Amino acid sequence: MQMQLDDNIKIIQSPLNYTGGKFKLLPQILPFFPKEIDCFVDLFCGGCNVGINVKSNKVIYNDLNRHLLYLYNTFKNLDKDLIFESIYKIIEDYQLSLVSKNGYDYYGCESSKGLGDYNREHFLKLRDDFNHNKNEDYYYYLMLYVMIVYAFNNQIRFNSNGEYNLPVGKRDFNIKMQSKLDEFIDRIQSQDCSFTCQDFREFDISKLNQNDFVYIDPPYLITCASYNEQDGWTEKDEKDLLAFLEKLDEKGIKFAESNVLRSKGKENKILNDWLESNKERFIVHYLNFDYSNSNYHTKDRTTNTEEVLITNY
């Protein structure tokens, strides 16, 4: 899928299949952003789908997942040819499949069934070596990337001991994955960007001004995504974030927050009540969650996902 918005800037997709990614919603979200941005803050950057596609002078990518940020830092600072050379070397060393080079028959697999049966043993060896590797250098993070590529649904998940614990997936480093990584590296290496690993409550907004812009895509309180298991995002977090938004507004810093007001019969009462009490202060833009067009229409808002973009301008 290729998208293009104003200024003939190609909208590219993150090389990571990150839960809650906003790639498909970008045509609806980006037109609401200010036309002139000095520093863009991607406060919960996740897969970086938003920050990588915003036109600004500088970008700050922030996330609590330090592995994620070090991986992006690797893509930012390592020579692209060396990145790909290292990735192919890891694939070769661990005898993982590379259908783009050898085809499915070479591995005794069919496209419809995937490559899991062939890759499982090799993937588990890579995962075990990664989890026991204490030298967190560029090679370590490229091992992580290869592992993500070959893991279930290309997801990122660490257990309480800090070990990557997803099983093998069905696909490999195919042409589409290679292309997404190639474009992402080019884009992030062309950006004036930095990476921070902070809780949003600790993020220093004192250095931001009215020419800067903060985008907030937090875990959704009423959804059941993997990042929100085991009270990963609580009502206290939700209330603290709303207080953070008020501080941004008081300082005259423009922001936009993605969230859902209702989903599958659940309602985010904390957010709805806050918006009701601040309806003269903040604007709610309704988005079409099924992505078919830019207008949100539904007869039954109790069963549909009511996705919104909240701004203070």
Side-chain angles (χ1 to χ4, degrees):
M1 175 184 284
Q2 181 172 328
M3 294 190 288
Q4 206 157 307
L5 295 179
D6 295 340
D7 302 316
N8 293 316
I9 298 175
K10 181 183 177 183
I11 302 301
I12 68 170
Q13 190 170 5
S14 169
L16 303 181
N17 183 26
Y18 202 81
T19 303
K22 290 296 180 290
F23 176 69
K24 290 183 178 180
L25 280 174
L26 287 176
Q28 297 181 61
I29 292 174
L30 293 183
F32 287 115
F33 287 6
K35 299 302 180 186
E36 301 290 333
I37 302 172
D38 185 20
C39 180
F40 178 84
V41 178
D42 203 344
L43 194 62
F44 297 80
C45 72
C48 291
N49 277 305
V50 180
I52 204 71
N53 288 299
V54 168
K55 186 178 179 181
S56 62
N57 296 326
K58 295 173 289 186
V59 180
I60 297 175
Y61 293 104
N62 182 75
D63 201 277
L64 276 180
N65 188 332
R66 67 179 183 86
H67 286 98
L68 200 62
L69 296 169
Y70 280 116
L71 177 58
Y72 294 143
N73 192 58
T74 300
F75 293 153
K76 169 71 177 174
N77 293 302
L78 202 59
D79 177 77
K80 185 170 76 171
D81 289 340
L82 182 56
I83 291 173
F84 276 92
E85 181 182 315
S86 301
I87 288 171
Y88 290 128
K89 183 69 165 58
I90 293 168
I91 291 170
E92 180 182 348
D93 287 348
Y94 284 90
Q95 301 176 35
L96 293 162
S97 68
L98 191 62
V99 166
S100 61
K101 178 182 178 182
N102 300 313
Y104 278 94
D105 289 344
Y106 183 85
Y107 303 104
C109 297
E110 299 176 6
S111 176
S112 59
K113 294 182 180 179
L115 296 153
D117 287 344
Y118 171 81
N119 281 322
R120 184 170 291 104
E121 182 181 342
H122 309 295
F123 172 84
L124 292 176
K125 170 63 174 167
L126 171 62
R127 192 180 73 179
D128 187 62
D129 287 353
F130 174 84
N131 285 331
H132 287 90
N133 187 350
K134 304 304 179 185
N135 184 22
E136 296 189 14
D137 55 7
Y138 283 147
Y139 183 80
Y140 173 88
Y141 284 102
L142 292 179
M143 285 179 71
L144 172 60
Y145 174 71
V146 172
M147 199 161 49
I148 293 168
V149 168
Y150 285 80
F152 176 74
N153 281 349
N154 309 126
Q155 293 289 304
I156 305 168
R157 189 180 73 192
F158 292 85
N159 63 23
S160 58
N161 294 324
E163 297 173 327
Y164 190 89
N165 65 348
L166 281 170
V168 70
K170 293 182 177 181
R171 304 299 171 204
D172 67 6
F173 194 44
N174 56 39
I175 296 297
K176 183 178 180 181
M177 295 290 288
Q178 295 169 35
S179 177
K180 285 197 293 186
L181 180 60
D182 184 77
E183 291 181 334
F184 185 86
I185 291 171
D186 284 344
R187 183 68 62 83
I188 204 165
Q189 290 190 354
S190 70
Q191 281 187 334
D192 179 0
C193 63
S194 58
F195 308 92
T196 59
C197 185
Q198 293 178 302
D199 184 283
F200 71 88
R201 283 162 285 238
E202 305 301 321
F203 191 87
D204 184 9
I205 65 172
S206 66
K207 296 179 182 178
L208 301 179
N209 59 51
Q210 296 179 359
N211 298 316
D212 302 327
F213 182 68
V214 182
Y215 174 67
I216 303 103
D217 184 23
Y220 296 166
L221 186 65
I222 57 173
T223 61
C224 298
S226 59
Y227 52 61
N228 204 19
E229 293 173 349
Q230 299 176 342
D231 295 323
W233 186 260
T234 66
E235 290 188 359
K236 181 182 185 305
D237 293 320
E238 187 80 2
K239 292 173 182 177
D240 287 349
L241 181 60
L242 297 179
F244 178 83
L245 298 183
E246 291 177 6
K247 288 180 182 178
L248 288 174
D249 188 58
E250 290 163 3
K251 191 172 167 56
I253 300 168
K254 293 184 176 70
F255 73 76
E257 182 200 6
S258 288
N259 217 312
V260 292
L261 302 182
R262 296 169 183 85
S263 179
K264 298 178 181 178
K266 296 181 180 179
E267 176 187 358
N268 187 336
K269 192 171 187 309
I270 293 172
L271 181 57
N272 275 290
D273 289 349
W274 180 78
L275 288 169
E276 180 63 26
S277 63
N278 289 281
K279 55 186 175 184
E280 303 299 324
R281 189 175 177 184
F282 305 117
I283 302 171
V284 180
H285 310 274
Y286 291 91
L287 306 178
N288 182 17
F289 186 67
D290 67 11
Y291 315 122
S292 61
N293 58 57
S294 60
N295 296 315
Y296 184 92
H297 295 295
T298 180
K299 293 181 180 179
D300 185 359
R301 293 196 173 187
T302 63
T303 58
N304 286 273
T305 297
E306 195 170 342
E307 182 130 1
V308 297
L309 187 73
I310 301 162
T311 64
N312 64 334
Y313 54 91

